[in-house]
Amino acid sequence: MLGGVASVAIFTNQTALLNNDFQVSSFLVVRSSNQSRKYSIPQPFFKTPGFREHIFQFVASNNGSLARKNIVFAIPNERDDTEKEGSDYYINYPVIVDQKEDRSSCAPGMRTPFPLLPCGELIPRSNEINDKEDGLLAKLMAVHLHVLAMEQWNSSKLKMSHKNYLVSATNLIHYLALKSLDVEQLKEELSSICFLNLDTINQHVLASLSAGIRLLDNVKFDSSSHTISYSEGISSTKSLEKQMKGEFSVNTLRRRASHTADLLLGRLPEKRNTHIMVTVGEEAIQSETLLKDLLNAGTTIVRVNCAHGSPEIWSEIIRRVKRSSQILEKPCRVLMDLAGPKLRTGKLQAGPCVLKISPKKNAYGEVIYPALIWLSCPGAGSPPDHVSPDAVLQVDGEELFRKLEVNDVVTLFDARGKQRTLKILSRYPIFSGVGFMAECCKTAYVKSGAKLFIKDKRRKLPAGHVVNIPPLKQFIKLGVGDLLTISRDSQNKESNLTSSTGAHRITCSSEYVFDSVKPGEPIAFDDGKIWGIIKGTSASEILVSITHAGPRGSKLGSEKSINIPRSNIRYEGLTSKDLIDLDFVANHADMVGVSFVRDVRDILLLRQELEKRKRGDLGVSLKIETKEGFEKLPLLLLEAMKMPNPLGIMIARGDLAVECGWENMAYIQKEIISVCTAAHVPVIWATQVLESLVKYGVPTRAELTDVAEGMRSSCIMLNKGKCIVEAASFLHRTLNNHSTKPNAEFKPLALSSHDS
């Protein structure tokens, strides 16, 4: 018989190693007035969290309330060395155990501030817990105790959270405490009895652990040889009710996560669990129907990148988004991404303003289909959706469009002085005026200023000239072994793209790069399509030897990304351009995307700037695109949760893959979603989603499975391309099919006569 007052202690003897791993020996001790037994917890059990900042420390309890007694911790100091310290971790809870005559189990009436203590056979036949269920209960209690200790230790940090995020921040602490433990063996043991999956409790850690302990405590196992009897339960207390039925209950936290996503992204359409975000640029104002088509295709968020365009273009895009949303009665929000301190190649000098028009030819060079050309006045609008011209010519000439009729012939002289004829096929009324579809059977190089003539009975009459031909995009073609010189913007004002040494030349506007990089460091361009090694540096130039490119070379153009993953570059948080753009975003957008977030100082600066603009309601999307940002994600979230703003995380997989390594991306994106799920923060799944479909009209099989993985997030983002409407529509159908019963199902096996 066990009676009187019992107490439970968990001892954890740890030594922090330089590689941030822990050697741990842990055991559970149950004491009563006349007996004491030690329950061993299999090793290794404790480990450091997967994140670099170990912000949690162990505490002890005093009279049932958690308080520090002896602690064990390992936190990198300012010199990034690891401090070493070891001690015992001791938590003591007074427990009232009722007397019971049956020696095979303890009394059912046990009261404790938390459901942490084993009930049943407190004193096994040996010093170690040998029975499987007893061992599970002890381990689960140790995990639960560790989670609560971490919450208490971080109580001062949690109190700084905004009231909207206090519960979510607390659950994040619970999750990180669970992640700091090596529970792989415990997972297997729980899975073997189909009991509790620790991989799926991120959203409601404490409630799930509490429920698990209660259920394990109530289980009864019978066999022919012996019966293990557990008590009927632990008496409920206010704390227990809080964990299982109050603000930390499973259903409450699930509703909180859904509400947080709605605040940032808006309410979802029926039959959909995931938002669709589409990036648009200047093409959205060149087409009268693009935005309407995107909204009809299922787009619920439009993204504008402040790294491109101007406030005038952004204003027109947002105006059209709002107008289309009102007309179609389809809600659509606007996210504007600040450019951030991203390294990019400078602008190359514009190429000639010439447009090549080519008919389709067979292998023998014979014309199969003439080239289709759209003719219209400047500002008249885009061609109708059902026509697909090969080229668009804007012509300054009212007389031409007054006189033109179907089957008329227009002539022009191209850039080479060759005469070409355009036969008018059809006439269309458009937004402001008319447009014509014409065909050309010969290759032509048309430049701005080319004059057009209409054939009369006797002569050719001038009828206008071509305007607004865009300049050709210039690029550098790099192959393995080539040399590339990166110079400051001010050093490259000449038009040629090669230096005096024969190396290709390009600029970079970020001056702090030239003071930070070192020879031997790898460097990547255009999201990792081109790689090189830095061979030399100076105050104004960086010399790079190309080590990876396409078999026939790779093109490097203007405003392409530059990544130097191993360099210790001191980036600024919000740049001067970001602060200017933030004024526009705060007045026009629903959400702001903060690029290249690295540490809490970036969040502090953002918070100050939003407070200056009195935009506590502006949605904030933190873009995780560096190794440092990933490693500090929990700290970034906890800091951002001090703001009242709706909060989300974007997984910017382009830069993130280059910075962290391609082989690590699957793990990294999974970990980001897990952490954000614990914080009840919505995730935006971005970069190269359905890229082949967006660009060429046909998806790859791998892209389809990527979409399936992206369904774990709250929003999937598509980048712009010529087939973007089709891609958005396809993604909408895919998400709908996922939310409802699919068309294709397994058919039931037909039973043969022998089976029956």
Side-chain angles (χ1 to χ4, degrees):
M1 180 177 67
L2 181 64
V5 178
S7 64
V8 171
I10 292 183
F11 290 88
T12 306
N13 188 21
Q14 307 187 25
T15 302
L17 304 180
L18 288 177
N19 61 358
N20 281 348
D21 291 334
F22 279 90
Q23 291 179 336
V24 185
S25 58
S26 305
F27 50 90
L28 179 72
V29 174
V30 179
R31 290 193 179 93
S32 68
S33 57
N34 57 353
Q35 300 181 72
S36 177
R37 291 292 185 270
K38 181 173 74 172
Y39 295 68
S40 295
I41 299 176
Q43 310 305 322
F45 193 66
F46 291 91
K47 66 176 184 180
T48 55
F51 305 98
R52 185 171 183 81
E53 302 292 338
H54 188 191
I55 60 175
F56 313 104
Q57 301 179 4
F58 298 130
V59 297
S61 97
N62 184 14
N63 296 325
S65 61
L66 292 174
R68 176 174 175 176
K69 186 171 183 180
N70 292 320
I71 62 172
V72 179
F73 63 95
I75 306 176
N77 58 25
E78 294 180 354
R79 299 188 306 274
D80 205 29
D81 300 327
T82 303
E83 298 176 358
K84 295 187 288 184
E85 180 175 343
S87 66
D88 285 338
Y89 167 53
Y90 176 76
I91 296 184
N92 184 34
Y93 286 95
V95 183
I96 304 301
V97 182
D98 293 338
Q99 295 185 0
K100 189 175 181 181
E101 294 298 330
D102 186 1
R103 295 175 179 268
S104 64
S105 64
C106 76
M110 178 178 286
R111 297 190 299 274
T112 177
F114 305 103
L116 298 175
L117 304 183
C119 199
E121 292 189 331
L122 283 176
I123 309 300
R125 286 187 294 269
S126 66
N127 286 343
E128 294 188 0
I129 298 177
N130 296 316
D131 294 307
K132 184 174 185 178
E133 290 74 25
D134 284 342
L136 284 177
L137 186 56
K139 293 174 191 176
L140 209 55
M141 289 190 309
V143 171
H144 192 288
L145 186 61
H146 176 65
V147 166
L148 289 171
M150 295 305 182
E151 176 188 341
Q152 183 65 20
W153 181 258
N154 290 278
S155 60
S156 60
K157 294 182 178 65
L158 292 173
K159 289 178 182 177
M160 298 174 67
S161 301
H162 190 272
K163 61 181 181 179
N164 296 344
Y165 292 110
L166 179 58
V167 172
S168 298
T170 304
N171 189 72
L172 175 58
I173 295 294
H174 295 162
Y175 170 75
L176 295 173
L178 180 62
K179 285 286 289 183
S180 71
L181 302 176
D182 185 1
V183 292
E184 290 304 315
Q185 183 180 353
L186 179 59
K187 288 179 184 178
E188 294 178 4
E189 293 174 354
L190 291 171
S191 177
S192 67
I193 60 173
C194 303
F195 184 68
L196 178 67
N197 187 352
L198 295 181
D199 289 327
T200 61
I201 67 172
N202 307 21
Q203 210 171 59
H204 34 74
V205 175
L206 194 61
S208 298
L209 292 176
S210 300
I213 292 173
R214 292 289 295 271
L215 288 173
L216 262 181
D217 185 56
N218 288 324
V219 172
K220 294 183 179 180
F221 294 87
D222 298 318
S223 67
S224 58
S225 58
H226 66 280
T227 299
I228 302 177
S229 177
Y230 291 81
S231 76
E232 296 179 358
I234 302 174
S235 300
S236 63
T237 63
K238 291 183 180 180
S239 177
L240 182 58
E241 290 297 318
K242 177 182 177 182
Q243 294 172 29
M244 299 183 62
K245 297 182 180 179
E247 58 188 354
F248 285 93
S249 68
V250 173
N251 290 334
T252 301
L253 293 181
R254 284 176 177 170
R255 287 194 298 269
R256 178 176 290 275
S258 177
H259 177 66
T260 303
D262 289 346
L263 285 177
L264 179 73
L265 305 172
R267 297 293 297 271
L268 277 163
E270 292 184 6
K271 301 180 182 180
R272 276 245 307 268
N273 297 323
T274 309
H275 284 273
I276 297 176
M277 180 187 295
V278 175
T279 302
V280 300
E282 194 170 355
E283 73 281 355
I285 62 177
Q286 294 172 347
S287 169
E288 286 298 318
T289 62
L290 176 60
L291 290 171
K292 290 181 181 178
D293 293 341
L294 286 174
L295 266 62
N296 280 324
T299 301
T300 53
I301 303 170
V302 168
R303 171 179 174 262
V304 177
N305 190 349
C306 293
H308 309 289
S310 63
E312 292 75 23
I313 295 174
W314 306 336
S315 295
E316 181 61 19
I317 291 173
I318 294 173
R319 186 188 69 81
R320 295 193 182 195
V321 169
K322 292 180 178 180
R323 185 185 65 183
S324 299
S325 176
Q326 291 174 352
I327 292 174
L328 300 174
E329 296 183 348
K330 294 179 181 292
C332 182
R333 296 196 175 186
V334 176
L335 166 70
M336 296 191 71
D337 270 356
L338 301 178
K342 183 170 183 174
L343 304 182
R344 295 181 183 273
T345 58
K347 291 185 178 180
L348 299 175
Q349 185 174 1
C353 297
V354 62
L355 176 67
K356 182 181 179 181
I357 300 173
S358 300
K360 302 292 188 301
K361 298 181 180 180
N362 61 16
Y364 299 101
E366 300 168 341
V367 174
I368 304 175
Y369 303 108
L372 297 178
I373 304 168
W374 174 260
L375 300 176
S376 66
C377 291
S382 304
D385 292 338
H386 62 279
V387 299
S388 300
D390 299 304
V392 175
L393 292 181
Q394 295 183 0
V395 180
D396 185 6
E398 294 182 2
E399 183 179 357
L400 172 67
F401 293 100
R402 280 200 311 267
K403 295 181 178 180
L404 269 184
E405 299 290 341
V406 175
N407 293 325
D408 282 352
V409 175
V410 177
T411 62
L412 61 82
F413 290 90
D414 73 358
R416 303 167 298 173
K418 295 184 179 294
Q419 179 176 315
R420 294 292 182 255
T421 59
L422 310 178
K423 183 180 179 181
I424 305 301
L425 300 178
S426 52
R427 181 180 186 273
Y428 297 94
I430 51 176
F431 179 66
S432 59
V434 294
F436 294 88
M437 187 67 76
E439 66 176 15
C440 179
C441 296
K442 293 184 178 181
T443 300
Y445 291 85
V446 182
K447 65 179 181 179
S448 292
K451 294 181 179 180
L452 276 67
F453 301 87
I454 301 176
K455 276 190 176 182
D456 199 357
K457 294 180 180 179
R458 299 181 180 179
R459 55 178 182 170
K460 298 177 183 177
L461 300 176
H465 61 276
V466 178
V467 296
N468 299 335
I469 297 289
L472 291 176
K473 292 183 178 180
Q474 296 287 76
F475 59 85
I476 297 171
K477 195 167 186 179
L478 298 170
V480 175
D482 287 349
L483 293 177
L484 173 66
T485 299
I486 306 174
S487 62
R488 296 180 188 266
D489 271 351
S490 59
Q491 300 295 319
N492 189 27
K493 295 183 179 180
E494 55 263 328
S495 60
N496 60 352
L497 301 178
T498 57
S499 64
S500 58
T501 61
H504 299 284
R505 180 180 292 275
I506 204 163
T507 62
C508 178
S509 59
S510 302
E511 296 185 356
Y512 45 81
V513 174
F514 298 89
D515 302 324
S516 304
V517 297
K518 300 176 182 177
E521 292 178 340
I523 183 170
F525 303 92
D526 197 4
D527 286 339
K529 294 183 177 68
I530 303 170
W531 282 85
I533 295 291
I534 296 175
K535 291 296 185 181
T537 64
S538 69
S540 60
E541 290 186 344
I542 300 172
L543 183 63
V544 177
S545 175
I546 302 302
T547 58
H548 174 81
R552 298 183 179 180
S554 297
K555 296 178 180 179
L556 180 61
S558 303
E559 298 184 333
K560 298 301 181 181
S561 64
I562 301 176
N563 296 91
I564 314 175
R566 297 183 189 174
S567 179
N568 188 24
I569 300 176
R570 299 298 180 185
Y571 296 95
E572 53 185 323
L574 295 176
T575 66
S576 56
K577 180 184 184 323
D578 291 338
L579 295 177
I580 295 173
D581 292 343
L582 186 58
D583 291 331
F584 181 94
V585 175
N587 291 323
H588 295 84
D590 303 297
M591 294 172 273
V592 59
V594 187
S595 301
F596 287 88
V597 179
R598 286 174 169 81
D599 57 39
V600 294
R601 289 173 295 183
D602 299 337
I603 308 297
L604 286 170
L605 179 58
L606 174 67
R607 180 182 179 184
Q608 294 170 1
E609 294 299 329
L610 291 178
E611 287 176 349
K612 288 180 184 178
R613 294 161 177 81
K614 298 180 181 180
R615 283 305 309 266
D617 60 332
L618 182 67
V620 174
S621 171
L622 304 179
K623 296 178 66 177
I624 305 302
E625 42 197 335
T626 66
K627 183 179 180 181
E628 189 176 3
F630 167 66
E631 291 175 341
K632 294 183 178 179
L633 178 59
L635 295 175
L636 298 176
L637 287 172
L638 290 171
E639 187 64 35
M641 286 178 171
K642 297 176 183 178
M643 301 188 296
N645 304 69
L647 178 64
I649 293 293
M650 178 183 286
I651 310 178
R653 299 184 295 173
D655 287 288
L656 192 59
V658 177
E659 293 277 337
C660 299
W662 306 97
E663 66 279 6
N664 297 318
M665 269 310 298
Y667 163 78
I668 287 173
Q669 61 193 26
K670 178 182 176 182
E671 284 298 301
I672 292 176
I673 289 180
S674 295
V675 172
C676 291
T677 300
H680 310 141
V681 169
V683 172
I684 301 170
W685 187 266
T687 313
Q688 293 185 316
V689 179
L690 294 175
E691 185 177 36
S692 298
L693 176 58
V694 170
K695 290 184 176 180
Y696 311 114
V698 180
T700 66
R701 278 67 171 173
E703 288 174 350
L704 302 181
T705 57
D706 181 55
V707 168
E709 186 73 11
M711 290 178 187
R712 300 173 57 204
S713 65
S714 301
C715 178
I716 296 177
M717 190 188 89
L718 300 175
N719 281 322
K720 53 188 176 181
K722 65 178 182 180
C723 302
I724 184 60
V725 175
E726 292 84 348
S729 179
F730 176 85
L731 181 56
H732 174 66
R733 295 195 306 270
T734 303
L735 295 175
N736 276 355
N737 291 341
H738 178 73
S739 303
T740 59
K741 191 175 182 179
N743 295 327
E745 294 181 338
F746 288 115
K747 294 182 178 180
L749 295 175
L751 295 177
S752 64
S753 58
H754 298 289
D755 297 328
S756 58

